[in-house]
Amino acid sequence: TTWEYDSTDDDISKVTGASCGVKYRYDSKNAADDWVVSPPIELSEGVEYVVSYWYKASKADKERMKLMVAESPDASALAAGRQIASYDLMAVAVWTNEELTFVPEKSGLLYFGFHACSNANQWGMYLRGFSIKENKVYPAAPSGLTVTPDAGRALSATLAWELPTTDDNGNPLSVGIMSVKITVMGSLLLNFLVMPPHGLMLRFQVRVYTCMM
């Protein structure tokens, strides 16, 4: 058998945030030995990245799977490449998110391959939501943005918004936001240089000026 497209999009799979993925079906006589490989991804030497994906097994059968990386998508190159993760006798029947750090040894195009290597007559494995990004923390987007026109119909408005309390992965911010910048049409309008508290509701009045030519 081989990895195949998985279009399941139900309430159970929604936790992954991905509407589709891949699955591996078991063979009653033959051990698993098949690869699903990423497109080429250009990475930089010495930069730390986070490799993220969701996985699970069918029911509670004990499956085997490895994540390898190499400069070629060929199975032989991946098998001899660098191991990122190994799941030996995993029996995880619910979607589980894995996040691993990875630092390339040199710059260039790399391929990530998941190797199904379970014993014969097991059941199956599922993958979805694979991503890789530089390991940096970014605040989530502000929330509760409102724009209130001036009550006296002057050319001004009051902006209000709440600063985020989590990063873009939903994790609590470990350090404060160092600055807040407001731009209009690409021009810097305001820059808070003092660290504001998490979750602070900010208000700022904007005046609009017109010029007759």
Side-chain angles (χ1 to χ4, degrees), residues 59-71:
K59 298 183 179 180
D61 293 289
K62 296 178 179 179
E63 308 288 352
R64 286 186 169 94
M65 180 177 69
K66 294 181 179 180
L67 173 58
M68 308 292 289
V69 62
E71 297 179 37

Side-chain angles (χ1 to χ4, degrees), residues 26-48:
Y26 78 103
D27 189 289
S28 60
K29 297 181 179 180
N30 300 305
D33 184 18
D34 197 61
W35 294 84
V36 59
V37 185
S38 74
I41 303 174
E42 187 167 5
L43 302 177
S44 300
E45 176 185 356
V47 175
E48 185 174 78

